[in-house]
């Protein structure tokens, strides 16, 4: 897990990892909040760290076809907008803006 500290400020882009620091996924933390970086093809998507059902780490999920599959009970979520696609989860997950720049991964921390 990456640990980053920063002063509480306005919402801003935060450098959380090197683009090649992880193969499939990486959990990072900013200001005490955990986020999941999920590699989807040549993109990196940032989501909340835990499944909305029973809080299984989404970095342990499987990313395929623009979705993340939570292996604990089988819910899937769209990586486009966080929409829950099947039960047992009934709440969407949050997606955060994410960008790759100069070999680094930045997330937009609200
Ligand atoms: S914890 Fe993810 S589907 Fe139950």
């Amino acid at each position: 897990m990456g640990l980053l500290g920063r002063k509480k400020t306005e919402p801003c882009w935060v450098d959380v990892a090197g683009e090649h620091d992880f193969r499939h996924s990486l959990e990072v933390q900013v200001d005490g909040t955990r986020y999941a970086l999920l590699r989807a093809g040549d993109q990196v998507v940032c989501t909340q760290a835990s499944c909305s059902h029973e809080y299984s780490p989404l970095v342990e999920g499987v990313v395929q076809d623009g979705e993340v599959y939570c292996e604990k009970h089988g819910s899937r979520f769209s990586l486009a907008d966080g929409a829950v696609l099947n039960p047992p989860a009934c709440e969407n997950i949050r997606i955060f803006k994410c960008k790759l720049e100069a070999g680094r991964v930045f997330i937009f921390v609200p």
Side-chain angles (χ1 to χ4, degrees):
M1 177 189 310
L3 290 175
L4 295 173
R6 103 186 148 106
K7 289 182 177 177
K8 283 273 186 194
T9 58
E10 298 291 311
C12 65
W13 290 100
V14 177
D15 179 343
V16 292
E19 183 178 349
H20 301 292
D21 286 352
F22 59 101
R23 185 167 181 194
H24 298 295
S25 61
L26 178 69
E27 189 169 292
V28 297
Q29 187 171 325
V30 179
D31 294 340
T33 300
R34 298 177 303 119
Y35 301 88
L37 302 179
L38 306 174
R39 198 174 293 281
D42 59 357
Q43 304 283 317
V44 175
V45 178
C46 180
T47 70
Q48 65 186 55
S50 302
C51 179
S52 62
H53 179 232
E54 288 186 358
Y55 311 112
S56 183
L58 288 174
V59 292
E60 296 177 6
V62 176
V63 173
Q64 190 171 21
D65 299 329
E67 301 171 359
V68 59
Y69 170 79
C70 178
E71 291 192 301
K72 190 164 183 185
H73 305 107
S75 285
R76 294 174 300 118
F77 303 89
S78 166
L79 291 177
D81 59 7
V84 62
L85 301 173
N86 66 284
C90 56
E91 288 182 30
N92 297 342
I93 59 171
R94 292 187 70 188
I95 303 288
F96 299 89
K97 291 185 207 170
C98 182
K99 67 180 179 181
L100 303 177
E101 201 171 277
R104 304 293 302 174
V105 180
F106 294 79
I107 63 175
F108 193 79
V109 175

